[in-house]
Amino acid sequence: MTASSTTRTLPAKTVRGALLAAAALLLAAPAPALAATAGDALPGNWLYLTVTKGDALSSDSRGTLLMCDPPQGHSRAAEACAQLAATDGDIRALPARDTFCPMIYAPVTTHARGQWNGRPVEYTQTFSSACVLAARTGAVFALDG
C-alpha cells in the first residue's frame, strides 16, 4: 500500500466534539452582532431591528433585517421604508399616531442598528406596551406583520 491510497477516518467522538464546538461558537455570538458584521457590506439603507418583551435582556426577542433598496426582509418593508424615508432614517422623528392604548404596563424594548444615507443608525428605546410602540414607530418595528 502506498501513502496516497490509505484512508484515515477520525473517530466519531472527535467529529462530534468538533461539530459541538463549532455550534457553540455560532450560538455564543449575539444575533445583532452577526447581522451587523454581515450587514457592514450591505449597500443602501438598511437596519437590523429587534423587539424584546420586557425592559431588560430577555430570551423573548424577535429580529429582522430591513433593507430599503429595494424594500425587503420585513413583513411591512415598503411601508417601513417609506416612513423612514420621510424622516431621513431618524426613528425618533417618526410621527406618533393618535391612539388610545390601555394603561397596562407590559414593556417592550426596541433596538435598531444599521445605516441610512451613509450615516450609522443606532437606536434603543423601551416603550410601556406594544400598543405604545406601534403608535410611536408605525410599521418600522411591526415585525409580526
Side-chain angles (χ1 to χ4, degrees):
M1 253 190 205
T2 64
S4 62
S5 66
T6 60
T7 303
R8 183 174 176 222
T9 59
L10 295 174
K13 193 174 191 179
T14 304
V15 173
R16 186 174 35 247
L19 289 173
L20 287 173
L25 285 173
L26 287 174
L27 292 173
L34 289 174
T37 302
D40 288 341
L42 290 174
N45 298 327
W46 63 273
L47 296 174
Y48 183 76
L49 306 166
T50 60
V51 176
T52 304
K53 287 185 179 177
D55 51 6
L57 290 178
S58 159
S59 63
D60 192 4
S61 187
R62 309 180 299 287
T64 192
L65 180 64
L66 170 66
M67 295 181 285
C68 291
D69 297 320
Q72 58 186 330
H74 184 296
S75 60
R76 294 171 58 186
E79 187 180 358
C81 291
Q83 290 172 352
L84 287 165
T87 63
D88 196 30
D90 185 359
I91 297 170
R92 286 177 178 81
L94 291 168
R97 288 189 339 230
D98 203 14
T99 304
F100 292 102
C101 292
M103 293 184 64
I104 298 172
Y105 186 68
V108 289
T109 301
T110 59
H111 182 80
R113 180 177 183 185
Q115 75 174 15
W116 196 270
N117 292 335
R119 292 184 325 270
V121 173
E122 187 74 36
Y123 171 87
T124 301
Q125 181 72 42
T126 299
F127 296 91
S128 60
S129 69
C131 179
V132 175
L133 164 66
R136 186 63 194 91
T137 64
V140 175
F141 288 100
L143 303 185
D144 290 338

